[in-house]
Amino acid sequence: MKALQGGVRVIELDLWPNSTKDDIIVLHGRTLTTPVSLIQCLKSIKEHAFVKSRYPVIITLEDHLTPDLQAKVAEMTTQIFGDMLYYPHTDLLTEFPTPESLKDRILISTKPPKEYLDAKQFKDSDTERDSAEEGSSSPGLINEVEADNRFNGSDQYEEAINARDKKPDQQGAPEYKRLITINAGKPKGNVRDHLKIAGDVKRLSLSEQELEKASATYGADIVRFTQKNILRVYPKGTRVTSSNYRPHIGWMYGAQMVAFNMQGHGKSLWYMQGMFRANGGCGYVKKPAFLMEKGPHNEVFDPKRVLPVKKTLKVKVYMGNGWSSDFSKTHFDTFSPPDFYTKVYIIGVPADKSKKKTKIIQDNWFPVWDEEFDFPLTVPELALLRIEVREYDKHEKDDFGGQTCLPVSELRSGFRAVPLYDRKGEKLKSVKLLMRFQFA
C-alpha cells in the first residue's frame, strides 16, 4: 500500500463477485488491472492506514454485489477493522465530523444498497466510469487514489460483469448499509438538480468531463454544494491505461476528493504531491476561507473571474548541483557534460497560470543561472509552484533532470535548498537547487 505510505487518505475499491459468486474480488473496471481478494486489500489497508498520518482513511466502495455478498463485506470489514471502524448511529448526518475528531479511524463511503436495485446493464450501472469517456463541516481537500491493481486478461473481467445479476425484488443487506458513514451518489439526469442542497449531507461523484461541463454553466452551484457536502471527481472511463487529468479544476470549485490513478506518473500526480505537501503532508488540506463564504446576495467565489493581484511571488534560481552524484557521467550526453535549464510554472486559477524558463548553461554539471522571475498572483491560496530541470538535446527530446511542486501558501521568504524528485515522486539523493523566494 505505497499510496497510504505516501499520505493518501481515500482509497477506492471496486467490488465484484468472483467467478463462483461466493467471494468478493477488487477489480478496477474497464482498466488494465488484475483481481485482488477483498480480504487481502482490507488487511493491507489496516496495516498501512496510519503509518504516514493519523488522520482518517476513507474507503470508497464501488459495489457490484448481491445482498448476501454485501453482508459478507460487512462481516469482513467489521472483523478486520474492529474499533478502527467509525460509522454513525443515526441514519442521516447533518454535518460531517471533523478530521481531527476521527484520528486513527476508518470510514466507509458508498451508495446505500437500495440505489443499486434498478441497475440492469453494465453500461448504465452504478460504476462511476462513463462509457463515453478538511476541518470544517465540509472537509477540505483530501488526498485520494483510485484502486491500484493490474489486469492482464479479459476472462475474469467478463466473469465479474456477468456475475452482477441482482433482481429488482432483492433487498440490500442492512448490516452493510449500517456501516456507511458518507452516503454517495452519482447523478442521473440533470447534474444541476443534484447540486441542490438538502438537509442531510452527502457525497456526489462527477467524472472529469461532467465537472468541466457543469463548471462552464453553473460553477456557482458547485461551489455552494461543496460548502456543506463532499464532491468527488474521478478520471473518465476512456483512461484505460490509468492516466490522469489536471486536478486543479476540481480544487478550484471546492471539490474535496479529486481521485487519481496511481499506477503511473506524470504532471497530474506531481500536482497532487505538491498540493498535499501542505499541512505537514497529513493528507488533508484546509479549504481556503473564500470557498466557504457567501456574499450578501448568495454570491460565491468564481475561479474564472479576474481579481486584483493579491501578492507577487519572486522566484530566483541561483544554481543547482547533485546530478554528478545521482547520474552516470554519460546519462545526459555521451561525450560532454550536460546542458541544464530550469522551467518554473505557476499552476492555479486561469488568471494566475504562468511559465518561465532560464537560459541553458552548456557543458556544466554545476549550472549557475542567477535569474529571477516575477509571478503576480490573484488567488495565491490555490496556486502551486512547479519547478522542473531539463537537459537540452538538439537532436532528441530534452532529458528529464528532476522536478518538484510546492504549495505557494506554504512558501516562506528567504534562501532555500530545494530538493528535486524523479518522475515517480521519489526524492533524488543529491540533486538540489539553490533558490530564493520573496513576496511583494
Side-chain angles (χ1 to χ4, degrees), residues 345-372:
Y345 300 80
I346 289 292
I347 312 299
V349 298
D352 290 349
K353 289 182 181 178
S354 181
K355 62 179 178 179
K356 310 284 185 179
K357 178 181 170 182
T358 68
K359 57 183 176 286
I360 298 168
I361 303 299
Q362 296 184 336
D363 299 332
N364 202 321
W365 283 100
F366 305 96
V368 177
W369 295 284
D370 199 22
E371 294 186 55
E372 187 171 66

PDB file of all heavy atoms in Angstrom, residues 345-372:
ATOM      1  N   TYR A 345       6.878  27.148 -13.185  1.00  0.00           N
ATOM      2  CA  TYR A 345       5.469  27.306 -13.545  1.00  0.00           C
ATOM      3  C   TYR A 345       4.659  27.718 -12.315  1.00  0.00           C
ATOM      4  O   TYR A 345       4.981  27.339 -11.187  1.00  0.00           O
ATOM      5  CB  TYR A 345       4.865  25.984 -14.028  1.00  0.00           C
ATOM      6  CG  TYR A 345       5.489  25.360 -15.239  1.00  0.00           C
ATOM      7  CD1 TYR A 345       6.669  24.631 -15.145  1.00  0.00           C
ATOM      8  CD2 TYR A 345       4.865  25.441 -16.492  1.00  0.00           C
ATOM      9  CE1 TYR A 345       7.227  24.015 -16.252  1.00  0.00           C
ATOM     10  CE2 TYR A 345       5.416  24.827 -17.605  1.00  0.00           C
ATOM     11  CZ  TYR A 345       6.598  24.113 -17.480  1.00  0.00           C
ATOM     12  OH  TYR A 345       7.142  23.504 -18.578  1.00  0.00           O
ATOM     13  N   ILE A 346       3.558  28.422 -12.572  1.00  0.00           N
ATOM     14  CA  ILE A 346       2.505  28.581 -11.578  1.00  0.00           C
ATOM     15  C   ILE A 346       1.278  27.846 -12.100  1.00  0.00           C
ATOM     16  O   ILE A 346       0.828  28.067 -13.238  1.00  0.00           O
ATOM     17  CB  ILE A 346       2.152  30.062 -11.325  1.00  0.00           C
ATOM     18  CG1 ILE A 346       3.284  30.754 -10.572  1.00  0.00           C
ATOM     19  CG2 ILE A 346       0.845  30.178 -10.528  1.00  0.00           C
ATOM     20  CD1 ILE A 346       3.484  30.291  -9.134  1.00  0.00           C
ATOM     21  N   ILE A 347       0.735  26.960 -11.280  1.00  0.00           N
ATOM     22  CA  ILE A 347      -0.499  26.244 -11.577  1.00  0.00           C
ATOM     23  C   ILE A 347      -1.556  26.780 -10.612  1.00  0.00           C
ATOM     24  O   ILE A 347      -1.342  26.780  -9.399  1.00  0.00           O
ATOM     25  CB  ILE A 347      -0.337  24.720 -11.370  1.00  0.00           C
ATOM     26  CG1 ILE A 347       0.935  24.208 -12.048  1.00  0.00           C
ATOM     27  CG2 ILE A 347      -1.573  23.978 -11.857  1.00  0.00           C
ATOM     28  CD1 ILE A 347       0.993  24.405 -13.532  1.00  0.00           C
ATOM     29  N   GLY A 348      -2.688  27.245 -11.132  1.00  0.00           N
ATOM     30  CA  GLY A 348      -3.716  27.796 -10.257  1.00  0.00           C
ATOM     31  C   GLY A 348      -4.935  28.208 -11.038  1.00  0.00           C
ATOM     32  O   GLY A 348      -5.261  27.591 -12.063  1.00  0.00           O
ATOM     33  N   VAL A 349      -5.623  29.248 -10.576  1.00  0.00           N
ATOM     34  CA  VAL A 349      -6.786  29.738 -11.323  1.00  0.00           C
ATOM     35  C   VAL A 349      -6.284  30.249 -12.674  1.00  0.00           C
ATOM     36  O   VAL A 349      -5.099  30.583 -12.829  1.00  0.00           O
ATOM     37  CB  VAL A 349      -7.521  30.860 -10.555  1.00  0.00           C
ATOM     38  CG1 VAL A 349      -8.051  30.336  -9.232  1.00  0.00           C
ATOM     39  CG2 VAL A 349      -6.613  32.072 -10.331  1.00  0.00           C
ATOM     40  N   PRO A 350      -7.168  30.311 -13.691  1.00  0.00           N
ATOM     41  CA  PRO A 350      -6.716  30.688 -15.035  1.00  0.00           C
ATOM     42  C   PRO A 350      -5.902  31.980 -15.083  1.00  0.00           C
ATOM     43  O   PRO A 350      -4.916  32.063 -15.823  1.00  0.00           O
ATOM     44  CB  PRO A 350      -8.032  30.819 -15.814  1.00  0.00           C
ATOM     45  CG  PRO A 350      -8.955  29.861 -15.129  1.00  0.00           C
ATOM     46  CD  PRO A 350      -8.589  29.919 -13.680  1.00  0.00           C
ATOM     47  N   ALA A 351      -6.278  32.985 -14.284  1.00  0.00           N
ATOM     48  CA  ALA A 351      -5.576  34.272 -14.340  1.00  0.00           C
ATOM     49  C   ALA A 351      -4.147  34.183 -13.818  1.00  0.00           C
ATOM     50  O   ALA A 351      -3.312  35.039 -14.153  1.00  0.00           O
ATOM     51  CB  ALA A 351      -6.358  35.319 -13.534  1.00  0.00           C
ATOM     52  N   ASP A 352      -3.839  33.164 -13.012  1.00  0.00           N
ATOM     53  CA  ASP A 352      -2.519  33.068 -12.383  1.00  0.00           C
ATOM     54  C   ASP A 352      -1.558  32.144 -13.116  1.00  0.00           C
ATOM     55  O   ASP A 352      -0.356  32.129 -12.801  1.00  0.00           O
ATOM     56  CB  ASP A 352      -2.663  32.595 -10.931  1.00  0.00           C
ATOM     57  CG  ASP A 352      -3.293  33.646 -10.038  1.00  0.00           C
ATOM     58  OD1 ASP A 352      -3.423  34.794 -10.493  1.00  0.00           O
ATOM     59  OD2 ASP A 352      -3.670  33.303  -8.899  1.00  0.00           O
ATOM     60  N   LYS A 353      -2.038  31.373 -14.063  1.00  0.00           N
ATOM     61  CA  LYS A 353      -1.174  30.398 -14.732  1.00  0.00           C
ATOM     62  C   LYS A 353      -0.059  31.117 -15.488  1.00  0.00           C
ATOM     63  O   LYS A 353      -0.291  32.098 -16.190  1.00  0.00           O
ATOM     64  CB  LYS A 353      -1.991  29.535 -15.689  1.00  0.00           C
ATOM     65  CG  LYS A 353      -2.912  28.554 -14.972  1.00  0.00           C
ATOM     66  CD  LYS A 353      -3.668  27.690 -15.955  1.00  0.00           C
ATOM     67  CE  LYS A 353      -4.600  26.721 -15.247  1.00  0.00           C
ATOM     68  NZ  LYS A 353      -5.380  25.901 -16.212  1.00  0.00           N
ATOM     69  N   SER A 354       1.158  30.586 -15.325  1.00  0.00           N
ATOM     70  CA  SER A 354       2.306  31.240 -15.947  1.00  0.00           C
ATOM     71  C   SER A 354       3.455  30.253 -16.038  1.00  0.00           C
ATOM     72  O   SER A 354       3.508  29.275 -15.282  1.00  0.00           O
ATOM     73  CB  SER A 354       2.725  32.464 -15.119  1.00  0.00           C
ATOM     74  OG  SER A 354       3.809  33.128 -15.699  1.00  0.00           O
ATOM     75  N   LYS A 355       4.379  30.489 -16.966  1.00  0.00           N
ATOM     76  CA  LYS A 355       5.584  29.670 -17.030  1.00  0.00           C
ATOM     77  C   LYS A 355       6.767  30.521 -17.481  1.00  0.00           C
ATOM     78  O   LYS A 355       6.626  31.422 -18.303  1.00  0.00           O
ATOM     79  CB  LYS A 355       5.397  28.468 -17.954  1.00  0.00           C
ATOM     80  CG  LYS A 355       5.115  28.781 -19.406  1.00  0.00           C
ATOM     81  CD  LYS A 355       4.971  27.490 -20.188  1.00  0.00           C
ATOM     82  CE  LYS A 355       4.642  27.769 -21.657  1.00  0.00           C
ATOM     83  NZ  LYS A 355       4.530  26.518 -22.443  1.00  0.00           N
ATOM     84  N   LYS A 356       7.926  30.237 -16.895  1.00  0.00           N
ATOM     85  CA  LYS A 356       9.167  30.926 -17.204  1.00  0.00           C
ATOM     86  C   LYS A 356      10.258  29.886 -17.420  1.00  0.00           C
ATOM     87  O   LYS A 356      10.128  28.726 -17.037  1.00  0.00           O
ATOM     88  CB  LYS A 356       9.578  31.855 -16.053  1.00  0.00           C
ATOM     89  CG  LYS A 356       8.488  32.797 -15.563  1.00  0.00           C
ATOM     90  CD  LYS A 356       8.248  33.959 -16.495  1.00  0.00           C
ATOM     91  CE  LYS A 356       7.240  34.939 -15.888  1.00  0.00           C
ATOM     92  NZ  LYS A 356       7.001  36.094 -16.769  1.00  0.00           N
ATOM     93  N   LYS A 357      11.359  30.329 -18.017  1.00  0.00           N
ATOM     94  CA  LYS A 357      12.439  29.396 -18.346  1.00  0.00           C
ATOM     95  C   LYS A 357      13.773  30.122 -18.255  1.00  0.00           C
ATOM     96  O   LYS A 357      13.921  31.240 -18.765  1.00  0.00           O
ATOM     97  CB  LYS A 357      12.210  28.845 -19.753  1.00  0.00           C
ATOM     98  CG  LYS A 357      13.259  27.889 -20.268  1.00  0.00           C
ATOM     99  CD  LYS A 357      12.888  27.453 -21.678  1.00  0.00           C
ATOM    100  CE  LYS A 357      14.014  26.693 -22.351  1.00  0.00           C
ATOM    101  NZ  LYS A 357      13.658  26.322 -23.749  1.00  0.00           N
ATOM    102  N   THR A 358      14.743  29.489 -17.607  1.00  0.00           N
ATOM    103  CA  THR A 358      16.079  30.077 -17.535  1.00  0.00           C
ATOM    104  C   THR A 358      16.823  29.845 -18.852  1.00  0.00           C
ATOM    105  O   THR A 358      16.392  29.065 -19.712  1.00  0.00           O
ATOM    106  CB  THR A 358      16.909  29.452 -16.403  1.00  0.00           C
ATOM    107  OG1 THR A 358      17.191  28.087 -16.729  1.00  0.00           O
ATOM    108  CG2 THR A 358      16.186  29.531 -15.074  1.00  0.00           C
ATOM    109  N   LYS A 359      17.965  30.477 -18.955  1.00  0.00           N
ATOM    110  CA  LYS A 359      18.854  30.207 -20.091  1.00  0.00           C
ATOM    111  C   LYS A 359      19.469  28.814 -19.923  1.00  0.00           C
ATOM    112  O   LYS A 359      19.450  28.231 -18.832  1.00  0.00           O
ATOM    113  CB  LYS A 359      19.951  31.261 -20.179  1.00  0.00           C
ATOM    114  CG  LYS A 359      20.816  31.394 -18.921  1.00  0.00           C
ATOM    115  CD  LYS A 359      21.828  32.513 -19.074  1.00  0.00           C
ATOM    116  CE  LYS A 359      22.634  32.738 -17.791  1.00  0.00           C
ATOM    117  NZ  LYS A 359      21.841  33.411 -16.739  1.00  0.00           N
ATOM    118  N   ILE A 360      20.020  28.291 -20.985  1.00  0.00           N
ATOM    119  CA  ILE A 360      20.689  26.986 -20.961  1.00  0.00           C
ATOM    120  C   ILE A 360      22.157  27.204 -20.589  1.00  0.00           C
ATOM    121  O   ILE A 360      22.854  28.030 -21.189  1.00  0.00           O
ATOM    122  CB  ILE A 360      20.589  26.293 -22.336  1.00  0.00           C
ATOM    123  CG1 ILE A 360      19.120  26.032 -22.698  1.00  0.00           C
ATOM    124  CG2 ILE A 360      21.369  24.982 -22.336  1.00  0.00           C
ATOM    125  CD1 ILE A 360      18.907  25.627 -24.143  1.00  0.00           C
ATOM    126  N   ILE A 361      22.621  26.489 -19.573  1.00  0.00           N
ATOM    127  CA  ILE A 361      24.029  26.521 -19.194  1.00  0.00           C
ATOM    128  C   ILE A 361      24.698  25.298 -19.822  1.00  0.00           C
ATOM    129  O   ILE A 361      24.390  24.160 -19.460  1.00  0.00           O
ATOM    130  CB  ILE A 361      24.209  26.508 -17.660  1.00  0.00           C
ATOM    131  CG1 ILE A 361      23.456  27.683 -17.031  1.00  0.00           C
ATOM    132  CG2 ILE A 361      25.689  26.552 -17.306  1.00  0.00           C
ATOM    133  CD1 ILE A 361      23.916  29.046 -17.468  1.00  0.00           C
ATOM    134  N   GLN A 362      25.584  25.540 -20.747  1.00  0.00           N
ATOM    135  CA  GLN A 362      26.160  24.446 -21.521  1.00  0.00           C
ATOM    136  C   GLN A 362      27.344  23.787 -20.814  1.00  0.00           C
ATOM    137  O   GLN A 362      28.135  24.452 -20.134  1.00  0.00           O
ATOM    138  CB  GLN A 362      26.591  24.948 -22.906  1.00  0.00           C
ATOM    139  CG  GLN A 362      25.427  25.423 -23.773  1.00  0.00           C
ATOM    140  CD  GLN A 362      25.863  25.818 -25.159  1.00  0.00           C
ATOM    141  OE1 GLN A 362      27.013  26.172 -25.390  1.00  0.00           O
ATOM    142  NE2 GLN A 362      24.930  25.762 -26.111  1.00  0.00           N
ATOM    143  N   ASP A 363      27.425  22.488 -20.982  1.00  0.00           N
ATOM    144  CA  ASP A 363      28.584  21.682 -20.579  1.00  0.00           C
ATOM    145  C   ASP A 363      28.994  21.912 -19.125  1.00  0.00           C
ATOM    146  O   ASP A 363      30.158  22.204 -18.825  1.00  0.00           O
ATOM    147  CB  ASP A 363      29.780  21.981 -21.501  1.00  0.00           C
ATOM    148  CG  ASP A 363      29.494  21.644 -22.955  1.00  0.00           C
ATOM    149  OD1 ASP A 363      28.669  20.744 -23.192  1.00  0.00           O
ATOM    150  OD2 ASP A 363      30.088  22.296 -23.840  1.00  0.00           O
ATOM    151  N   ASN A 364      28.024  21.741 -18.201  1.00  0.00           N
ATOM    152  CA  ASN A 364      28.348  22.011 -16.800  1.00  0.00           C
ATOM    153  C   ASN A 364      27.462  21.173 -15.883  1.00  0.00           C
ATOM    154  O   ASN A 364      26.237  21.241 -15.943  1.00  0.00           O
ATOM    155  CB  ASN A 364      28.145  23.499 -16.495  1.00  0.00           C
ATOM    156  CG  ASN A 364      28.929  23.945 -15.283  1.00  0.00           C
ATOM    157  OD1 ASN A 364      29.039  23.217 -14.295  1.00  0.00           O
ATOM    158  ND2 ASN A 364      29.492  25.139 -15.350  1.00  0.00           N
ATOM    159  N   TRP A 365      28.103  20.365 -15.017  1.00  0.00           N
ATOM    160  CA  TRP A 365      27.363  19.582 -14.024  1.00  0.00           C
ATOM    161  C   TRP A 365      26.877  20.449 -12.867  1.00  0.00           C
ATOM    162  O   TRP A 365      26.045  20.014 -12.075  1.00  0.00           O
ATOM    163  CB  TRP A 365      28.259  18.462 -13.480  1.00  0.00           C
ATOM    164  CG  TRP A 365      28.419  17.303 -14.415  1.00  0.00           C
ATOM    165  CD1 TRP A 365      29.469  17.052 -15.241  1.00  0.00           C
ATOM    166  CD2 TRP A 365      27.499  16.222 -14.619  1.00  0.00           C
ATOM    167  NE1 TRP A 365      29.271  15.885 -15.964  1.00  0.00           N
ATOM    168  CE2 TRP A 365      28.058  15.352 -15.592  1.00  0.00           C
ATOM    169  CE3 TRP A 365      26.256  15.902 -14.081  1.00  0.00           C
ATOM    170  CZ2 TRP A 365      27.431  14.202 -16.031  1.00  0.00           C
ATOM    171  CZ3 TRP A 365      25.618  14.744 -14.513  1.00  0.00           C
ATOM    172  CH2 TRP A 365      26.188  13.905 -15.481  1.00  0.00           C
ATOM    173  N   PHE A 366      27.408  21.672 -12.746  1.00  0.00           N
ATOM    174  CA  PHE A 366      27.041  22.568 -11.649  1.00  0.00           C
ATOM    175  C   PHE A 366      26.581  23.908 -12.234  1.00  0.00           C
ATOM    176  O   PHE A 366      27.291  24.918 -12.146  1.00  0.00           O
ATOM    177  CB  PHE A 366      28.231  22.772 -10.709  1.00  0.00           C
ATOM    178  CG  PHE A 366      28.800  21.493 -10.179  1.00  0.00           C
ATOM    179  CD1 PHE A 366      29.896  20.898 -10.780  1.00  0.00           C
ATOM    180  CD2 PHE A 366      28.222  20.873  -9.074  1.00  0.00           C
ATOM    181  CE1 PHE A 366      30.411  19.707 -10.304  1.00  0.00           C
ATOM    182  CE2 PHE A 366      28.734  19.682  -8.587  1.00  0.00           C
ATOM    183  CZ  PHE A 366      29.836  19.088  -9.201  1.00  0.00           C
ATOM    184  N   PRO A 367      25.393  23.918 -12.856  1.00  0.00           N
ATOM    185  CA  PRO A 367      24.941  25.124 -13.573  1.00  0.00           C
ATOM    186  C   PRO A 367      24.643  26.288 -12.630  1.00  0.00           C
ATOM    187  O   PRO A 367      24.096  26.095 -11.538  1.00  0.00           O
ATOM    188  CB  PRO A 367      23.665  24.651 -14.271  1.00  0.00           C
ATOM    189  CG  PRO A 367      23.167  23.524 -13.417  1.00  0.00           C
ATOM    190  CD  PRO A 367      24.393  22.839 -12.900  1.00  0.00           C
ATOM    191  N   VAL A 368      25.002  27.488 -13.051  1.00  0.00           N
ATOM    192  CA  VAL A 368      24.675  28.716 -12.330  1.00  0.00           C
ATOM    193  C   VAL A 368      23.848  29.589 -13.274  1.00  0.00           C
ATOM    194  O   VAL A 368      24.347  30.056 -14.295  1.00  0.00           O
ATOM    195  CB  VAL A 368      25.945  29.467 -11.879  1.00  0.00           C
ATOM    196  CG1 VAL A 368      25.550  30.787 -11.201  1.00  0.00           C
ATOM    197  CG2 VAL A 368      26.774  28.607 -10.942  1.00  0.00           C
ATOM    198  N   TRP A 369      22.569  29.781 -12.917  1.00  0.00           N
ATOM    199  CA  TRP A 369      21.673  30.568 -13.779  1.00  0.00           C
ATOM    200  C   TRP A 369      21.549  32.016 -13.294  1.00  0.00           C
ATOM    201  O   TRP A 369      21.555  32.939 -14.085  1.00  0.00           O
ATOM    202  CB  TRP A 369      20.280  29.923 -13.817  1.00  0.00           C
ATOM    203  CG  TRP A 369      20.254  28.577 -14.449  1.00  0.00           C
ATOM    204  CD1 TRP A 369      20.318  28.283 -15.781  1.00  0.00           C
ATOM    205  CD2 TRP A 369      20.150  27.312 -13.770  1.00  0.00           C
ATOM    206  NE1 TRP A 369      20.270  26.916 -15.975  1.00  0.00           N
ATOM    207  CE2 TRP A 369      20.157  26.298 -14.756  1.00  0.00           C
ATOM    208  CE3 TRP A 369      20.043  26.942 -12.422  1.00  0.00           C
ATOM    209  CZ2 TRP A 369      20.069  24.950 -14.452  1.00  0.00           C
ATOM    210  CZ3 TRP A 369      19.961  25.597 -12.108  1.00  0.00           C
ATOM    211  CH2 TRP A 369      19.969  24.621 -13.117  1.00  0.00           C
ATOM    212  N   ASP A 370      21.339  32.198 -12.004  1.00  0.00           N
ATOM    213  CA  ASP A 370      21.238  33.533 -11.405  1.00  0.00           C
ATOM    214  C   ASP A 370      20.160  34.374 -12.107  1.00  0.00           C
ATOM    215  O   ASP A 370      20.403  35.499 -12.537  1.00  0.00           O
ATOM    216  CB  ASP A 370      22.589  34.239 -11.466  1.00  0.00           C
ATOM    217  CG  ASP A 370      22.673  35.404 -10.475  1.00  0.00           C
ATOM    218  OD1 ASP A 370      21.898  35.402  -9.491  1.00  0.00           O
ATOM    219  OD2 ASP A 370      23.473  36.319 -10.708  1.00  0.00           O
ATOM    220  N   GLU A 371      18.961  33.822 -12.191  1.00  0.00           N
ATOM    221  CA  GLU A 371      17.849  34.517 -12.854  1.00  0.00           C
ATOM    222  C   GLU A 371      16.648  34.592 -11.931  1.00  0.00           C
ATOM    223  O   GLU A 371      16.373  33.661 -11.162  1.00  0.00           O
ATOM    224  CB  GLU A 371      17.455  33.799 -14.149  1.00  0.00           C
ATOM    225  CG  GLU A 371      18.530  33.831 -15.222  1.00  0.00           C
ATOM    226  CD  GLU A 371      18.032  33.227 -16.528  1.00  0.00           C
ATOM    227  OE1 GLU A 371      16.985  33.696 -17.051  1.00  0.00           O
ATOM    228  OE2 GLU A 371      18.676  32.283 -17.034  1.00  0.00           O
ATOM    229  N   GLU A 372      15.906  35.700 -12.027  1.00  0.00           N
ATOM    230  CA  GLU A 372      14.738  35.916 -11.175  1.00  0.00           C
ATOM    231  C   GLU A 372      13.487  36.107 -12.026  1.00  0.00           C
ATOM    232  O   GLU A 372      13.536  36.753 -13.075  1.00  0.00           O
ATOM    233  CB  GLU A 372      14.937  37.135 -10.279  1.00  0.00           C
ATOM    234  CG  GLU A 372      13.816  37.312  -9.246  1.00  0.00           C
ATOM    235  CD  GLU A 372      14.138  38.385  -8.228  1.00  0.00           C
ATOM    236  OE1 GLU A 372      14.216  39.571  -8.616  1.00  0.00           O
ATOM    237  OE2 GLU A 372      14.323  38.034  -7.047  1.00  0.00           O
TER     238      GLU A 372
END
